[in-house]
Amino acid sequence: MSLPVALDAMGGDHGAPPNVEGAVAAARAGVPVILVGDRVKLHAELGRHAGSASLPIEVVEATDVIGMDEHASDVRSRTQASINVASRLVKEGRASAVVSMGHSGATMASALLTLGRIKGVERPAILTHLPAKGGFTTLLDAGANADVKASYYAQWARLASVYLKVVEDRENPTVGLLSIGEEDHKGSALVLEAHGLLRALHGRGVNFHGNVEGRDIFRNTTDIVVTDGFTGNVVLKLAEGEAKVLFGWVKEALQSGLKSKIGGLLVRGSLRGLAERMDPSTYGASLLIGVRGLAFIGHGSADARAVKNALLRAARAHEANLIPRLEAAFTEQTSG
């Protein structure tokens, strides 16, 4: 059986229930899981799912949990926190990946401290998928680094290019640099410097398209969009917020009168499919790319479906040998 995925089962706004339910669904789909957290609570929660005893689910004790309102820096001193125990399972080779719907800052800090960085990567980034025309656009950094150097953009472009190639079967994915205009001379001093570095990498592991604007993200103008973590996080939250509001407006419009209600019944199936595409839980969690191990960070408000999808994604990344492939790409670049 393949290596299990370690789940920080106490993390998130709702604690153990959605984590355990998602783990049970993933285990039924063939992904073995290690639940990390309060053994008694986790076994009690597992007991609520019929047939869970026969599934490939293991429980590992962690006596502490870093709450959503606590500091990420607590990771250093609280060695028995569930996120630290889960990260250590990856480091020790007992788990293929760590997944957490808990404190995102703590997850990043724990992964970085426990697993370290891939050689040649200055700072890891949060890689996320945003629903776009024809599928999705991969955006990074979605919030790990508010302050950046131009060199980070070039490293992230290379990391994301390898990721899309090996995990998503995208051959020679295109990279766009988020700016305030498509022209090469548009953007801040930092963006202009990054543009030069990306242009120099074109054809050497990066297929650089040039500058892209905010609207291009949803048009899928490029497969990958690179930006700093501050901007990327604003883009991500804006997209999720706007999708919810727009969907609310559509529902209101379809309930505004008898004709609209009849029309609403006719398009209900199509709208359900659209809602699914726009739902963040479809992708489950975002990858912290650049650390020497697989670490996935989900929404605190994640439901069981998001947890299941995050676990499936983590297993897929491990099966695709993502970390060795990323390390190889950076070794080739530095030796080439």
Side-chain angles (χ1 to χ4, degrees), residues 130 137-140 153 174-188 191 195 198-199 207-228 231 235:
L130 286 172
T137 299
T138 299
L139 174 82
L140 73 169
Y153 290 88
T174 50
V175 176
L177 173 63
L178 191 62
S179 189
I180 54 169
E182 291 171 14
E183 300 85 358
D184 292 2
H185 62 273
K186 289 274 181 79
S188 63
V191 166
H195 190 282
L198 288 164
R199 181 68 67 205
N207 180 9
F208 185 50
H209 166 89
N211 285 355
V212 291
E213 297 180 76
R215 60 177 172 236
D216 289 305
I217 295 169
F218 305 102
R219 286 177 177 170
N220 200 216
T221 302
T222 56
D223 297 302
I224 298 159
V225 172
V226 288
T227 187
D228 64 273
T231 309
V235 166

Side-chain angles (χ1 to χ4, degrees), residues 158-199:
R158 281 162 60 195
L159 289 167
S161 297
V162 174
Y163 168 83
L164 280 185
K165 192 175 177 182
V166 306
V167 181
E168 303 291 347
D169 296 320
R170 294 256 181 116
E171 200 55 48
N172 204 21
T174 50
V175 176
L177 173 63
L178 191 62
S179 189
I180 54 169
E182 291 171 14
E183 300 85 358
D184 292 2
H185 62 273
K186 289 274 181 79
S188 63
L190 177 71
V191 166
L192 293 175
E193 190 186 345
H195 190 282
L197 293 177
L198 288 164
R199 181 68 67 205

Side-chain angles (χ1 to χ4, degrees), residues 31-327:
V31 174
V33 182
I34 298 176
L35 296 172
V36 180
D38 184 318
R39 189 183 289 275
V40 175
K41 278 185 185 169
L42 293 175
H43 277 298
E45 200 57 47
L46 276 169
R48 296 175 56 191
H49 297 275
S52 64
S54 62
L55 292 170
I57 297 175
E58 186 189 339
V59 175
V60 167
E61 178 75 42
T63 53
D64 185 15
V65 61
I66 295 174
M68 301 298 259
D69 54 351
E70 295 182 284
H71 289 285
S73 57
D74 287 0
V75 158
R76 285 185 182 276
S77 57
R78 291 163 65 178
T79 55
Q80 286 310 301
S82 53
I83 185 57
N84 280 331
V85 175
S87 295
R88 282 200 297 275
L89 290 171
V90 178
K91 173 83 170 173
E92 292 160 7
R94 290 174 59 195
S96 60
V98 54
V99 171
S100 178
M101 304 295 164
H103 194 305
S104 56
T107 305
M108 281 188 286
S110 180
L112 200 48
L113 281 166
T114 312
L115 305 170
R117 286 168 295 151
I118 287 171
K119 198 175 178 184
V121 175
E122 290 172 86
R123 293 285 303 169
I126 295 174
L127 179 151
T128 196
H129 294 324
L130 286 172
K133 192 177 175 185
F136 62 84
T137 299
T138 299
L139 174 82
L140 73 169
D141 178 19
N145 308 275
D147 299 297
V148 303
K149 293 184 199 167
S151 55
Y152 297 2
Y153 290 88
Q155 291 157 22
W156 296 341
R158 281 162 60 195
L159 289 167
S161 297
V162 174
Y163 168 83
L164 280 185
K165 192 175 177 182
V166 306
V167 181
E168 303 291 347
D169 296 320
R170 294 256 181 116
E171 200 55 48
N172 204 21
T174 50
V175 176
L177 173 63
L178 191 62
S179 189
I180 54 169
E182 291 171 14
E183 300 85 358
D184 292 2
H185 62 273
K186 289 274 181 79
S188 63
L190 177 71
V191 166
L192 293 175
E193 190 186 345
H195 190 282
L197 293 177
L198 288 164
R199 181 68 67 205
L201 274 180
H202 183 64
R204 295 167 53 221
V206 171
N207 180 9
F208 185 50
H209 166 89
N211 285 355
V212 291
E213 297 180 76
R215 60 177 172 236
D216 289 305
I217 295 169
F218 305 102
R219 286 177 177 170
N220 200 216
T221 302
T222 56
D223 297 302
I224 298 159
V225 172
V226 288
T227 187
D228 64 273
F230 184 94
T231 309
N233 194 266
V234 170
V235 166
L236 178 65
K237 302 279 170 64
L238 176 68
E240 289 175 357
E242 180 74 342
K244 270 190 178 155
V245 170
L246 279 173
F247 219 76
W249 286 346
V250 170
K251 282 171 95 171
E252 274 175 33
L254 290 174
Q255 289 165 1
S256 60
L258 184 61
K259 276 185 183 174
S260 299
K261 282 178 182 173
I262 293 165
L265 287 170
L266 295 173
V267 298
R268 193 160 61 180
S270 303
L271 285 176
R272 200 171 286 132
L274 180 61
E276 183 142 316
R277 274 189 70 187
M278 291 162 79
D279 186 352
S281 68
T282 303
Y283 299 112
S286 301
L287 171 65
L288 182 66
I289 197 164
V291 290
R292 287 193 69 203
L294 294 170
F296 287 82
I297 299 167
H299 268 276
S301 59
D303 57 11
R305 179 171 175 261
V307 174
K308 176 198 171 186
N309 287 338
L311 292 166
L312 295 182
R313 247 186 107 190
R316 250 176 74 218
H318 177 68
E319 282 159 21
N321 271 331
L322 180 61
I323 300 300
R325 299 285 291 274
L326 290 172
E327 291 190 305

